[in-house]
Amino acid sequence: MNPGTTACLLCPACGQAFLSMQQSLAGVAQCPHCAHSGSRAQFGTQVQVAGVTQERRRVAQTQPLQSMTAPLLQPPQSVPQPAAWPGLQPMPEQAPTASIARMTLQHSQALMPTGAPAPAAEFTAPPHLRTSSWKHAFILLAFAVVCGGAIWLWWDQANAPAFATKAAAAPLPAAAETRNAQPITKTAPAVAVMPLPDVAAIAADAKALVTELFAADTPERRTACFHDAEKYRAEIETLFGAAAEKIELRLLARIPGMPLTLPGGQPVPLFKLVTSKCPNGALIRLETGADGKRHIHWPLFLETHESKLAGLFQNTGAEAAWMHVGLRPSHGLDIPAELRAKYLTFDVQVSASSDPHFVACVERDTPLGRLLDRETEWGKAYLARLLVRKLDIQADAPCVIVLDCEGAREK
């Protein structure tokens, strides 16, 4: 406390202490507790208040803060009274107050009137514990939506069979009988499911036939390995019997996947046969004869082993010829861009490897082009017998024009 600025006064009426800015004894002071006003000289001085404060501190140390009553404090008797200022009449000496009732107050209650009830404690929730009314509304809305959806599903499942039964039991309106009109029934065309061949059995037969072919020392044993051998006996003997250099077997392996016959779409297992005369490998397939036994298909083996299609390009005056080839739909990037809209293109395979590479072109706006477009699918391989002729265009690969396909007339 700075005595030069404020003074602590003691009210003679209620005994309460308070701070005052009034330093002049001639001035008027008013108690904020009981509203008693009077001359500054009537109120106790700082020395008296200090004595009261020391006594209040001593009592506060010996008693708990919860006690609401305090013993009576006697003002000190030896405190000298202030002298009157010059020019003022001395005030009659007042008897000291019998007792000053002081209550032990908390620090925050020092300026509150004595006996006033303690203010109610205020609690403010931290920000992370505060809830919003919008959050509660959103939770209630989501709960209502979930409940409504569950009720709708239950109602739909519970009433759907009843509606179906009623609709089925409802009588149909009587239709006028027409004897002349015959009912037209449309049946969906039956889709023939091609049975998958027994690949393991076919592979075993192919191995046995190829082994017998290269081990045969007579025309009868060699022709017995091929399907419809009597028709191709002369060609078989020319290749295997009358050749100056004997053909030796290098490799026999199954080609992964099974191409489809075109047209028809029947899966056919193929095998790769590498010999001393055909390093790229010839294509072999087996045909089932009338006796139920499988034999090697001679035309496919001969054409791929002797590279018949490559010889068509070497002979400049060659005419159209029938060839067994493997086909796969392509984008036609090997031919000029201005011709891609005119032709339907296929990658042609005439050996067990990718060499040599040929391109087959079919005119789109022809019956054959529409047939091949309908019968083939992207990403699948096909095996067909085509009537081809050399196509003289500027392209990145040798091209042939397809004139006909075996089996297309029947389609």
Side-chain angles (χ1 to χ4, degrees):
M1 181 185 301
N2 188 359
T5 305
T6 60
C8 186
L9 304 181
L10 184 65
C11 179
C14 63
Q16 300 292 329
F18 62 94
L19 299 177
S20 176
M21 298 292 294
Q22 181 61 253
Q23 296 294 329
S24 175
L25 295 178
V28 178
Q30 185 177 10
C31 177
H33 303 290
C34 61
H36 174 75
S37 60
S39 173
R40 165 69 177 76
Q42 296 179 4
F43 292 85
T45 61
Q46 179 181 3
V47 178
Q48 294 176 338
V49 175
V52 174
T53 304
Q54 294 177 2
E55 185 66 19
R56 182 180 61 82
R57 290 179 179 176
R58 184 183 62 80
V59 173
Q61 294 176 1
T62 58
Q63 293 185 1
L65 296 178
Q66 287 80 5
S67 64
M68 299 302 296
T69 60
L72 297 178
L73 300 178
Q74 298 294 334
Q77 300 296 331
S78 61
V79 177
Q81 297 294 332
W85 283 43
L88 295 177
Q89 296 295 332
M91 298 291 295
E93 221 177 82
Q94 296 182 359
T97 56
S99 63
I100 300 175
R102 294 284 293 171
M103 297 180 62
T104 58
L105 303 178
Q106 299 295 333
H107 178 74
S108 61
Q109 300 174 353
L111 300 181
M112 294 180 59
T114 304
E122 296 183 0
F123 175 76
T124 303
H128 67 278
L129 296 179
R130 298 175 186 174
T131 58
S132 175
S133 59
W134 291 102
K135 182 178 180 180
H136 292 293
F138 177 76
I139 294 175
L140 292 177
L141 179 60
F143 179 75
V145 170
V146 172
C147 292
I151 293 174
W152 181 82
L153 290 176
W154 170 82
W155 182 88
D156 184 64
Q157 294 180 359
N159 294 273
F163 288 154
T165 304
K166 291 179 181 180
L172 296 176
E177 183 179 1
T178 305
R179 296 184 181 273
N180 295 331
Q182 297 295 333
I184 300 175
T185 57
K186 294 183 179 180
T187 58
V191 179
V193 179
M194 295 294 179
L196 293 178
D198 189 353
V199 179
I202 295 176
D205 291 345
K207 181 178 179 182
L209 291 171
V210 170
T211 303
E212 174 65 17
L213 174 64
F214 285 90
D217 53 358
T218 62
E220 289 75 13
R221 292 180 61 183
R222 283 190 288 267
T223 55
C225 297
F226 294 96
H227 176 71
D228 202 3
E230 294 299 329
K231 182 179 180 181
Y232 307 108
R233 178 184 292 269
E235 296 179 356
I236 296 173
E237 287 302 313
T238 302
L239 182 60
F240 289 98
E245 183 180 356
K246 185 179 179 179
I247 300 176
E248 296 179 358
L249 176 63
R250 295 286 187 264
L251 174 67
L252 176 64
R254 180 177 175 269
I255 298 177
M258 286 188 291
L260 306 177
T261 58
L262 186 66
Q266 183 178 0
V268 179
L270 288 181
F271 298 89
K272 175 182 180 179
L273 178 62
V274 179
T275 65
S276 57
K277 189 177 179 180
C278 182
N280 289 330
L283 298 178
I284 287 184
R285 61 173 291 192
L286 302 186
E287 286 285 346
T288 304
D291 55 355
K293 295 182 180 180
R294 301 183 182 94
H295 299 86
I296 300 175
H297 185 263
W298 171 255
L300 177 63
F301 170 75
L302 177 63
E303 294 171 9
T304 56
H305 188 272
E306 298 298 317
S307 301
K308 293 290 186 178
L309 186 59
L312 185 66
F313 287 88
Q314 295 176 1
N315 188 2
T316 56
E319 297 182 356
W322 288 94
M323 296 288 177
H324 287 85
V325 296
L327 298 175
R328 187 182 297 272
S330 68
H331 292 291
L333 301 180
D334 296 315
I335 65 176
E338 59 272 11
L339 297 178
R340 295 170 191 170
K342 179 181 179 181
Y343 293 111
L344 189 69
T345 57
F346 298 88
D347 289 333
V348 177
Q349 184 175 356
V350 291
S351 67
S353 62
S354 58
D355 294 328
H357 173 64
F358 300 97
V359 177
C361 300
V362 186
E363 293 187 9
R364 295 179 183 270
D365 297 333
T366 59
L368 180 61
R370 289 188 290 268
L371 173 66
L372 295 181
D373 190 15
R374 182 175 64 252
E375 292 289 330
T376 57
E377 296 182 15
W378 187 261
K380 293 185 179 181
Y382 298 89
L383 186 64
R385 185 169 183 253
L386 305 177
L387 179 62
V388 297
R389 186 179 61 196
K390 181 180 177 182
L391 182 62
D392 294 326
I393 59 174
Q394 295 295 331
D396 297 335
C399 299
V400 295
I401 182 71
V402 180
L403 304 177
D404 199 357
C405 176
E406 188 177 51
R409 294 188 179 91
E410 289 79 0
K411 301 297 286 186

